[in-house]
Structure formats: C-alpha cells, structure tokens
Amino acid sequence: MSNILDNLNPVQREAVTTTEGPLLIVAGAGSGKTTVLVNRIAYIIDQGKAAPYNILALTFTNKAANEMKERIAALLPGLSGDMWIGTFHSICVKILRRNIDFLGYTNDFVIYDTADVKTLMKECYRELDIDDRNFPVRSVMSIISGAKNDSLDAETFESVYKTDFRMSEVAKIYKLYQSKLRKNNAVDFDDLILNTVKLLSLNPDVLEKYQRRFKYILVDEYQDTNNIQYLLISLLAGGYQNICVVGDDDQSIYKFRGANIGNILSFESDYENAKRITLEQNYRSTQTILDAANAVIAHNSGRMPKKLWTAKDGGDKIQVFTAPTEYDEARFIARTIKKYQQENGRFGDCAILYRTNAQSRVIEEMMMREAVPYRVLAGLRFYDRKEIKDIIAYLRLIHNPNDDMSLRRIINEPKRKIGGATVDKLTAIAMAEDCSIYDVIRNASLFEDALKSSVSKLKSFFELMESLIKLKDTIPLTQLMTLVLNDTGYLAMLQSEDTIENQTRCENIDEFMNVAAEFEQNPEYEGTLAEFLESVTLISDVDGYDEDEDAAIMMTIHSAKGLEFPVVFLTGLEEGLFPGMRSIGNNDDIEEERRLCYVAITRAREKLYITKSQSRTVYGKTAAVQPSRFFKEIPSEYTEDNSDFRTKARDYVRGNRTSAAEYFSRERSAEPEETVDFNKGDIVEHRKFGRGTVVSVKQFGHDAILEIDFDSIGYKQLMAAFAKLKKIE
C-alpha cells in the first residue's frame, strides 16, 4: 500500500513509520496531525505489525473520531470497523458496558447529562437542607467534577477535606449525589472515565485483557488531557508501551475544564526512551497569519520550541479595525461579511470568534440589521429541547426502570393526574423501602393507604411502561419510538393545540426520528436502545456544525478549536476582555489566554480581521478600554489599519454634537431603500426546500424576515434578500 506514504512530507513520514515505543508528536496548528494519525494506523496494519482489533485511538470530539474513521475506511476498506476509535467517554462506555458489574452496577446503566445532574443535585440539597445561596449548585457541580477529574471519589474527597467546613459540606453533597446515582444505576460524564480507571486499577485481570488487546494506542490532542485521562492512558499503555500521543502545548486552552498542560510537557520523562517529532509545516494559513501567530506565542515561556511555516508565501495583511463602540465594531463585521459574500459568493466562509458569549448579542443585532444570515454555535442544542429530552427520558426509563430521574420527568407528561404530591409520596416510600420509584409503582396496591386514589392511575402508567419495556429488544428502534410517541399520548398532546410552538416541537420530534433512522442504518452499531442513548448523550455542540450551510458562523474561541475558516474575525482584542480581567496579574493565566489568542489566529486560512473598541459597555457602564497586549505583540509589518473612518466620524460628531453610533445610523439610512415584494399568502418556490406558503412578513431594516410553511419541511424563517425565492403566480 505505497500510497500511505506518498503524500507526506519527510517529518510526517518519520512520524508515521516510527511505530515502536513511546512517541510524542508535537503538531503545530494546521500541520496535518490527523493525516499523520490516520496514515500511521494504516501503515501499522499494512506492515503486519497489528490487526485492526489491536488498535485504540482516543479523541476529544465525535467530529474528530468520525473523520478518522472515514479516512481510515478509505485507506483500509472493510477493516476500520474492528478498531476502537472514539472519544475518551465513548471508549470508556464500551469498557464499562462489558465490565461495570465489577463495580456494583448493572450493564444497562444510563448516562446523565448536565441538566440531569443539576436536577439530581437539587434533590440532594433538599434532603440535606442546604441553602443553594450559600452553596451555588453550579459551583458545587464544578467542584465535584474537578474532584473526579483528579481521581478523587466521594470517600477520598471527604477524607481530604474533613477539617475544612465549607468543603466538608460539599463532601456531604458529593456522597449523597453518588449514592443517588448508584441507586438509579446511573453515571455522569466524569464517572465514565473515573469508573473505568477504578475498574482497571482494582481488577488486574480486566486490565491485562485490555493491555493485551491494545498493542498500539494513539491519543489526539494530548495537551487537553486531564489527570484522570492521563491515568487511563497510562494504565492501558502499560503493556506494550507503544503509546503515540499527538498534541501542541501552544494550543492547551482548557485549564478551566481540568486540562493539565504538564501531561504533554512531561511525556518524555514519563516514558523511558520516548522520542519527539515536531511538525512545523502548516497547510492551512498564509505565511503572514503564521508570522503573527508565531510572534504572539513566542512571549510564552516554558513551551516546546516550534515555528510554523508554509510553502505558500505572503498572503494578505491582517486587517485591523478600531471602533468607537462595540456597536460600530459589530456593524463593521456585518458589512464586511456582506461585501465578502457579494464578491466571493459565500457567507459560510466567515467565522466570528469572541472570548465570551456575552459579546455575541450586539453582533447578532447588527447581523440581523444588515440582513446577514448567521448561526451561533453553542446556543440551545437540539438535544436540550424539552420535547427531545422528554422522549429521551421515556427511552431511558424503558432501558433502565431504576432511573428515578427520567421517571419523575415523564410520569405526568402528558398529564395523567399524577401530580407533584403523589410523586413526593412515591419518592419517600422508595427511600424508606430502599428501592426504585418504579418498584413502588409496580407494587402500588401495597401502599394504598399512602397513595389513595392515585393507585389506579399509577397502575395504568405501570402497564403502559411494561408494554413498552417488553418490546425494547424485539422491535427496531424507530418502531419503539413510534410506539412511545403514540401509546403515551405525547404526540397527541402536541397535535391537540394548533400553535406555531407545538408545530415546531412536532418538527423537532420528526427530526429526532430521522436521527434514530440514521442510527439504525449505521453499520458501526448493532442498533440497540443502549447504544442509541449513548450516542445522543455524548454529542457535543461542535458535532452539530454544518460546514455546508451558507451562513456566517459565530462562536467562542474555545468552540472553534479544531476548526478552520477562509475568513476569521477575531473580536474584542481589549485589555480586560481578552485577556480577561481575572487573568491579569497571574502569569499562568495570561499564558493560557495567549495560547487562546494563538488558536484564534491560526483558525484563519486566507483573511484575518482583528477588531477592537475604544469603549465598551459592561454591566450597564460604558468605559474606555485599551488595546489587548496580544494585539500589541503582533508586529505592525503584518497588519494594515482599516480604521480610516475615525477621523471622518470624529469631525462629524464634533460639528453635530452627536454620537458615533448615531452617525453610522444616519450613514446607513442614507442608503437607497429596497422594497420586499412578498406578502402573506404568497406561494413561493425555494431551490432547496421546495414549494411553500408565506405565513408572515416582518420588516427588518431594508430586508424582511419571511416565515414560510414549506410542504416538505414545515415552518422555516428566511431573510427575503438572500432566500432566492421564486414567486409562483
């Protein structure tokens, strides 16, 4: 298979063919690390060094894992399915499904997401009579998550903090929380890795089985690993020691999630005879962009030396725009994107990156005002919508009747006259009897004195769920979901009221059915309910990013890690915002912020815009701000000032005693009015969505938002100027 090495540069080829022993591949941004990982796996198999079954590859996102699988499948048709390629969490789920009984759970455990964890945590507060004003739920959740990432279980945590009053209270919450998880036969995300490490540490036979199986282990984004992930990797690699980690210390930006940059910096001391190979040739950005990134990151100390370069010389200078206010900054971004689309044909080439989510509001306003289509990554996720969480709760309860959390969510959804008082009684009985709420419902007649008139309703609910539970392993997933929607009355509840909101919810459920159908057709899965629940629980925001949608993308810099765009707007480069106020004065935090800036710069392929304001409103107060130190670290030879408007605006303001924001509003209103020739009731044709009826027209500046009921997909909102609709007479 000669093509494995054909298109690699000499350093990449060395990284692919160095197969034995510990290997650290320091991969600069855009240096082709995925190519190296994929070709390394193909080379190992092609050379007969291992079977696909003997290879484990760990990633941080489903997107990265899927890309690796697709590319390996292209190189090794029919062989890639035997490899374990996935996120840390998904790989740990596989191990736990086979072995978690060693830890006292059953193999049909469920995985709680963040919303479920928060709900369970509030239960703990009520039982312990703890005031969430003194112990904010999110803060305690973060402390417990951090403890698990540092391999501290509830008992160890309690022992460590027994002399600290505040933390000893958190320890009580932690212990009760874990007890409730176990009672529900449930785990949270952090438990997936912590329990796997526990399992392997306490059961030498299980550890030896996986050490023997995984002859070659590859880890992507090693700089982002936390302490518990480090322990997991160390345990699994303890057999053959053929551990290859790929990462870049200059892109370590997840300290707030527990990532430990020391893991990559100490790799060579952790593994005897480890070898380091550095990839510096960049295949993404222009040399100008790389020179700017190199100049910024060079100010960090204690880093592995590297300097990105590309075979493509030159490139456009970085465009710098200094605005009077954040509104002017946002207007510049929106108009520049509109101009780019007119000249190049795509909004989707453009990404707007910001340090904090709070910056997005003003930008969104201006994008709408200028009629620029956009998407915000990490808004309300599809799987966080109420109707989707309700159906998932039904499926979880069918899969695991001990899941009290899911049961409480749907026992009266739709309304069954089983109110909160009844649920409280069921919960109290379950606690007294040390069993699940479902077990209490199963035997409701035994507790008739307490439950009274609710017994018959509970019996009906039990019979409904039992009928579905009996079918879970005998019919396809999509059929089971159809029965859930129909037999529970959930779909009828939504269809009973003809409102836009309920129509949208029905559309979301239809889309969820599509998710299930695609899952059934995926050859990687056996199609079980357990696998499906895992797949939807482990989906991240970035996994939902559709590169083909023609809309500008807005996201935090953290969310942009691993992505690239032809045009990038790096916004808000001001002291106190980027770097943030909390980082100023702490050198380690400043260095992490600088790495974040480096990541942002290297997302750009062709054009980079850096924007900043002279004043910004924070918490209702407008104050002057200074340019970020990171901006000052970019040599002026790589930048071009695009702020000529300032002199003109300042003169105008002085002469008319008005604000710069008002000035630009006047400038905007001077543009010729465009009429939108669409009315309610018009029949239109869209090239993608087909035929539809205009339901409403809302004027928006010189454009309009059209709400259209399409025959194929239902209701959708489109901007008239860019929808390319054809009126059907």
Side-chain angles (χ1 to χ4, degrees):
M1 197 179 293
S2 60
N3 61 330
I4 290 176
L5 303 177
D6 285 352
N7 297 317
L8 304 179
N9 66 42
V11 183
Q12 290 175 329
R13 192 176 296 119
E14 181 186 8
V16 166
T17 57
T18 304
T19 59
E20 307 308 301
L23 176 64
L24 168 63
I25 301 175
V26 181
S31 61
K33 68 179 178 63
T34 304
T35 296
V36 169
L37 284 170
V38 167
N39 284 271
R40 180 181 169 84
I41 291 171
Y43 181 80
I44 287 169
I45 294 171
D46 182 56
Q47 295 298 305
K49 295 179 178 294
Y53 175 87
N54 299 123
I55 292 174
L56 169 67
L58 293 163
T59 70
F60 275 86
T61 66
N62 293 307
K63 179 180 170 63
N66 291 335
E67 182 182 355
M68 285 183 65
K69 290 174 186 176
E70 290 169 4
R71 291 172 64 170
I72 291 171
L75 287 171
L76 304 171
L79 294 178
S80 62
D82 294 332
M83 302 173 197
W84 278 25
I85 301 174
T87 64
F88 279 89
H89 292 101
S90 65
I91 294 299
C92 285
V93 168
K94 281 190 174 187
I95 294 174
L96 292 174
R97 285 283 176 217
R98 292 160 170 78
N99 306 281
I100 200 170
D101 53 311
F102 283 100
L103 299 179
Y105 293 80
T106 60
N107 293 339
D108 59 354
F109 65 88
V110 294
I111 305 166
Y112 281 179
D113 63 16
T114 304
D116 299 322
V117 168
K118 190 173 181 181
T119 301
L120 192 60
M121 197 70 70
K122 288 181 177 179
E123 283 185 29
C124 296
Y125 276 53
R126 285 194 295 271
E127 288 185 28
L128 294 171
D129 194 24
I130 290 177
D131 191 337
D132 61 6
R133 289 172 295 185
N134 298 325
F135 294 86
V137 174
R138 287 190 178 276
S139 175
V140 172
M141 286 169 60
S142 178
I143 291 171
I144 293 174
S145 176
K148 291 182 178 183
N149 288 335
D150 284 333
S151 70
L152 296 176
D153 60 19
E155 289 71 24
T156 308
F157 186 88
E158 182 182 43
S159 176
V160 169
Y161 292 107
K162 61 185 176 183
T163 60
D164 183 320
F165 170 75
R166 183 173 181 79
M167 294 300 275
S168 64
E169 289 295 293
V170 174
K172 291 177 187 176
I173 301 170
Y174 188 1
K175 283 188 73 174
L176 182 58
Y177 168 69
Q178 287 302 124
S179 173
K180 285 180 172 290
L181 281 175
R182 184 177 288 270
K183 183 170 176 271
N184 288 344
N185 197 34
V187 297
D188 60 25
F189 287 136
D190 298 314
D191 282 332
L192 292 174
I193 304 178
L194 177 61
N195 282 343
T196 304
V197 169
K198 267 190 183 179
L199 170 74
L200 298 176
S201 301
L202 298 175
N203 299 277
D205 291 344
V206 178
L207 174 61
E208 185 184 357
K209 178 179 74 173
Y210 287 105
Q211 285 181 337
R212 205 166 48 240
R213 170 173 181 159
F214 299 128
K215 187 174 180 181
Y216 291 93
I217 297 175
L218 301 92
V219 185
D220 192 14
E221 305 285 12
Y222 191 64
Q223 78 280 350
D224 293 334
T225 54
N226 59 31
N227 293 340
I228 197 69
Q229 290 163 336
Y230 170 85
L231 289 175
L232 175 69
I233 295 162
S234 300
L235 285 166
L236 293 174
Y240 292 99
Q241 295 279 309
N242 290 329
I243 171 74
C244 170
V245 302
V246 182
D248 180 6
D249 56 310
D250 287 338
Q251 296 186 72
S252 179
I253 60 172
Y254 295 115
K255 181 181 177 183
F256 69 98
R257 292 183 189 168
N260 185 351
I261 192 174
N263 291 346
I264 191 169
L265 295 176
S266 64
F267 181 85
E268 291 161 291
S269 59
D270 289 340
Y271 292 91
E272 190 177 353
N273 301 319
K275 181 174 182 178
R276 184 202 301 186
I277 295 174
T278 303
L279 307 179
E280 296 177 298
Q281 184 174 358
N282 177 283
Y283 293 90
R284 175 190 300 158
S285 307
T286 66
Q287 190 62 53
T288 299
I289 291 171
L290 296 180
D291 287 341
N294 288 331
V296 170
I297 202 63
H299 287 79
N300 273 7
S301 59
R303 54 183 287 266
M304 297 179 183
K306 73 186 77 66
K307 190 170 184 179
L308 298 179
W309 62 276
T310 179
K312 300 180 290 184
D313 290 332
D316 293 345
K317 286 192 173 185
I318 298 166
Q319 299 298 301
V320 177
F321 183 85
T322 304
T325 71
E326 65 265 41
Y327 287 92
D328 303 297
E329 176 190 40
R331 186 178 287 107
F332 168 79
I333 292 168
R335 291 184 179 181
T336 304
I337 291 174
K338 183 188 286 188
K339 182 180 179 184
Y340 176 87
Q341 186 272 340
Q342 291 167 350
E343 296 174 352
N344 299 278
R346 270 187 60 80
F347 293 107
D349 287 349
C350 303
I352 304 167
L353 308 184
Y354 34 81
R355 179 64 183 87
T356 68
N357 278 308
Q359 293 170 251
S360 70
R361 182 190 63 82
V362 172
I363 300 173
E364 283 192 72
E365 285 182 14
M366 289 302 170
M367 296 288 273
M368 288 189 288
R369 190 171 296 179
E370 296 291 332
V372 176
Y374 69 92
R375 289 183 59 205
V376 180
L377 198 66
L380 180 64
R381 297 192 318 150
F382 176 77
Y383 295 97
D384 287 337
R385 289 172 168 84
K386 179 185 182 301
E387 59 275 15
I388 303 303
K389 290 187 75 68
D390 285 346
I391 302 308
I392 288 175
Y394 270 110
L395 295 175
R396 281 180 171 178
L397 189 62
I398 291 168
H399 172 62
N400 172 23
N402 290 328
D403 185 359
D404 288 351
M405 180 87 67
S406 294
L407 184 145
R408 276 192 290 263
R409 182 180 182 95
I410 52 83
I411 192 170
N412 202 39
E413 191 69 46
K415 302 296 182 186
R416 299 186 177 93
K417 296 185 178 179
I418 304 175
T422 300
V423 174
D424 288 344
K425 290 176 185 176
L426 291 169
T427 302
I429 295 170
M431 290 178 65
E433 298 291 327
D434 194 24
C435 64
S436 69
I437 295 176
Y438 194 79
D439 285 335
V440 176
I441 295 173
R442 185 197 309 274
N443 300 293
S445 59
L446 299 178
F447 307 101
E448 193 163 0
D449 289 345
L451 298 173
K452 298 178 180 176
S453 61
S454 299
V455 171
S456 60
K457 303 181 188 74
L458 293 171
K459 183 179 178 182
S460 297
F461 175 74
F462 175 75
E463 290 172 351
L464 166 67
M465 294 310 302
E466 281 294 293
S467 67
L468 295 169
I469 289 169
K470 287 175 183 176
L471 292 172
K472 72 170 184 175
D473 296 322
T474 62
I475 61 175
L477 175 64
T478 48
Q479 287 185 29
L480 179 63
M481 287 177 62
T482 300
L483 288 176
V484 168
L485 290 166
N486 292 328
D487 292 1
T488 64
Y490 196 91
L491 194 57
M493 173 189 70
L494 295 181
Q495 293 172 339
S496 64
E497 292 186 34
D498 188 19
T499 64
I500 295 293
E501 181 182 13
N502 277 4
Q503 289 172 1
T504 301
R505 287 180 172 178
C506 287
E507 291 167 8
N508 289 336
I509 287 175
D510 287 343
E511 181 60 27
F512 194 38
M513 290 293 292
N514 292 337
V515 172
E518 290 173 7
F519 172 83
E520 285 182 335
Q521 296 165 10
N522 191 328
E524 284 188 38
Y525 300 108
E526 295 178 10
T528 65
L529 177 57
E531 287 179 313
F532 179 69
L533 290 172
E534 287 162 15
S535 69
V536 298
T537 304
L538 297 176
I539 287 173
S540 71
D541 295 325
V542 175
D543 297 325
Y545 168 49
D546 180 3
E547 296 178 16
D548 295 326
E549 184 172 346
D550 191 20
I553 186 77
M554 295 173 55
M555 67 182 87
T556 64
I557 303 169
H558 282 101
S559 296
K561 178 78 160 40
L563 302 176
E564 58 183 71
F565 311 91
V567 182
V568 167
F569 292 82
L570 175 53
T571 67
L573 245 72
E574 302 146 22
E575 287 291 298
L577 182 60
F578 193 16
M581 193 62 70
R582 292 182 181 179
S583 302
I584 295 173
N586 184 308
N587 188 60
D588 287 345
D589 289 346
I590 285 291
E591 293 211 346
E592 172 123 348
E593 292 275 294
R594 187 175 284 111
R595 291 193 291 269
L596 191 60
C597 185
Y598 173 82
V599 166
I601 292 171
T602 54
R603 297 312 94 195
R605 292 208 299 259
E606 300 161 13
K607 294 179 180 293
L608 174 63
Y609 293 84
I610 291 178
T611 64
K612 49 192 172 70
S613 292
Q614 295 171 327
S615 68
R616 189 173 293 271
T617 303
V618 180
Y619 301 122
K621 295 182 179 180
T622 302
V625 290
Q626 296 298 315
S628 167
R629 68 191 70 192
F630 304 147
F631 169 72
K632 295 177 181 177
E633 289 167 0
I634 301 174
S636 59
E637 63 194 90
Y638 305 132
T639 64
E640 182 174 79
D641 197 322
N642 209 324
S643 309
D644 291 343
F645 77 98
R646 283 182 297 172
T647 303
K648 178 181 176 184
R650 192 184 303 119
D651 291 344
Y652 186 95
V653 169
R654 286 172 180 167
N656 293 273
R657 296 186 179 180
T658 186
S659 70
E662 288 172 342
Y663 163 72
F664 280 103
S665 296
R666 293 182 185 183
E667 181 191 57
R668 179 70 174 93
S669 64
E671 294 179 5
E673 295 284 341
E674 299 173 14
T675 57
V676 177
D677 188 24
F678 289 101
N679 298 288
K680 182 178 178 180
D682 285 349
I683 307 299
V684 295
E685 185 86 26
H686 187 276
R687 58 186 177 81
K688 180 177 179 181
F689 306 129
R691 186 186 180 98
T693 304
V694 177
V695 176
S696 68
V697 180
K698 297 177 183 176
Q699 202 66 34
F700 206 97
H702 299 294
D703 200 353
I705 300 173
L706 306 180
E707 186 172 9
I708 303 171
D709 182 8
F710 287 103
D711 297 341
S712 60
I713 63 167
Y715 287 86
K716 199 166 186 70
Q717 288 187 337
L718 301 172
M719 300 300 293
F722 301 100
K724 297 182 179 177
L725 294 166
K726 180 181 177 183
K727 255 190 183 182
I728 300 175
E729 299 297 336

